[in-house]
Amino acid sequence: MSLDVSPALLEQAERGEVDEADFVDCVRTSLPYAWEMISSLVAQLKVDGGPFADNRTPPPDEHARGELLRALASDAIRGALQRHFGVRLAFQNCHRVAVFPLDESTDERLARFTSVRAQLLNQSPELRDC
């Protein structure tokens, strides 16, 4: 299961109305490694500035890797995180998460980061099973 959904949040979904803040809190508590990774990158981007902030350190274990995959592979979770933090998220190789400002000036850098070329250049034998 991807998220630990409380009965109250499930009831909201069954009624048809889901408060996004409640959903984001569910993501925060269900996927703490992914939340911390994205939160720290957003903070780094705010402090350091620049076109983006990214993580190149693989997760410490498969559980943490799974959290990143669940958070970034789900359109609903990814979209909610982007709206919550006010950034665009990019993802490579099951661990390289990047945050980009919403500013259009970073569009070219985001396109390069998410390109086929960048994906190929970010390969290595130790990441074969990630």
Side-chain angles (χ1 to χ4, degrees):
M1 181 181 298
S2 293
L3 300 175
D4 298 320
V5 181
S6 71
L9 188 57
L10 183 57
E11 188 177 308
Q12 278 186 42
E14 289 169 347
R15 284 193 317 262
E17 297 290 327
V18 176
D19 180 71
E20 186 157 288
D22 292 340
F23 178 68
V24 168
D25 190 55
C26 178
V27 171
R28 180 187 60 77
T29 59
S30 299
L31 306 173
Y33 178 82
W35 180 271
E36 179 57 33
M37 171 69 61
I38 294 166
S39 296
S40 66
L41 290 173
V42 169
Q44 179 184 338
L45 182 65
K46 287 179 180 176
V47 170
D48 296 346
F52 72 100
D54 70 328
N55 170 66
R56 293 176 180 256
T57 305
D61 55 39
E62 289 306 308
H63 181 80
R65 186 182 317 277
E67 284 191 25
L68 287 177
L69 288 171
R70 287 192 299 280
L72 295 165
S74 165
D75 290 339
I77 295 172
R78 186 182 191 144
L81 290 172
Q82 290 180 136
R83 288 185 295 279
H84 175 77
F85 288 111
V87 297
R88 292 181 287 180
L89 297 171
F91 191 47
Q92 287 183 356
N93 285 2
C94 305
H95 74 275
R96 188 171 179 204
V97 179
V99 297
F100 289 79
L102 293 176
D103 184 347
E104 291 178 10
S105 69
T106 62
D107 286 353
E108 184 179 323
R109 185 69 178 138
L110 175 64
R112 281 196 311 265
F113 185 91
T114 59
S115 71
V116 171
R117 179 178 185 266
Q119 182 67 46
L120 291 172
L121 293 173
N122 195 40
Q123 302 302 300
S124 68
E126 51 280 356
L127 300 176
R128 176 81 55 190
D129 290 330
C130 77

